[in-house]
Amino acid sequence: MNAVLKKMVKGITVCYSEVFPDPDQNNDYFHLNYIGKLFLIADSYCMNPDCTCQEAVLNFVQAYPKDGTKADSFMIRLKLNGRGYKIHDRGRFSKREIQAIVMYFTADGTFLELFNERYNEMKEKAKEILN
């Protein structure tokens, strides 16, 4: 928890799996298969208990790049009220590609619901750590 506390103090988002690790390490990342590309997605959250940002930072890493090239990734800040996202790092992806991938990933609303639950869990854990 020391590393988590350091990130909290610096105002850096903390990955959900850092705070609530999966003992089997099978569910630390979400998986998305999008038109032949496999992505691993890590979700991070602000742990400042006084902050009301209501956002999740999602890092999409292409797991099996084509032609043996280095894996590529992009990062977004997703609004948990369902009103969009901001791109923080595009990698080699175009804005249009990112838009299509994010729309596909969030289309049915189940992930948005889950991210809201995780956001609340992270805020509660932050309060517990600070007390």
Side-chain angles (χ1 to χ4, degrees):
M1 274 304 152
N2 194 24
V4 170
L5 189 56
K6 284 181 184 177
K7 287 182 180 179
M8 287 173 60
V9 169
K10 291 181 179 179
I12 299 171
T13 60
V14 180
C15 192
Y16 183 85
S17 63
E18 278 186 80
V19 178
F20 301 103
D22 177 9
D24 300 325
Q25 296 184 350
N26 293 332
N27 295 317
D28 281 345
Y29 303 99
F30 295 99
H31 298 86
L32 174 67
N33 192 340
Y34 176 75
I35 54 173
K37 296 179 180 178
L38 178 63
F39 291 91
L40 299 178
I41 305 159
D43 56 327
S44 300
Y45 304 88
C46 165
M47 288 189 71
N48 177 348
D50 298 326
C51 180
T52 58
C53 62
Q54 293 285 312
E55 296 176 333
V57 174
L58 305 178
N59 189 15
F60 288 71
V61 178
Q62 189 176 347
Y64 301 110
K66 295 180 181 179
D67 305 325
T69 57
K70 183 180 174 191
D72 202 5
S73 65
F74 66 89
M75 187 182 305
I76 64 167
R77 186 175 294 270
L78 180 72
K79 295 183 181 297
L80 295 178
N81 62 6
R83 295 189 177 184
Y85 62 92
K86 179 180 179 185
I87 300 171
H88 277 274
D89 181 9
R90 283 188 11 206
R92 290 189 297 255
F93 293 91
S94 69
K95 287 182 182 180
R96 190 172 296 217
E97 277 181 299
I98 292 171
Q99 180 183 27
I101 293 166
V102 172
M103 283 179 62
Y104 183 81
F105 182 61
T106 59
D108 68 1
T110 55
F111 282 112
L112 198 56
E113 204 173 299
L114 179 61
F115 293 144
N116 273 288
E117 289 173 20
R118 287 178 164 218
Y119 173 86
N120 291 327
E121 287 177 43
M122 294 288 275
K123 292 292 186 176
E124 286 302 316
K125 189 65 170 184
K127 289 176 188 173
E128 184 183 307
I129 290 170
L130 295 174
N131 287 335

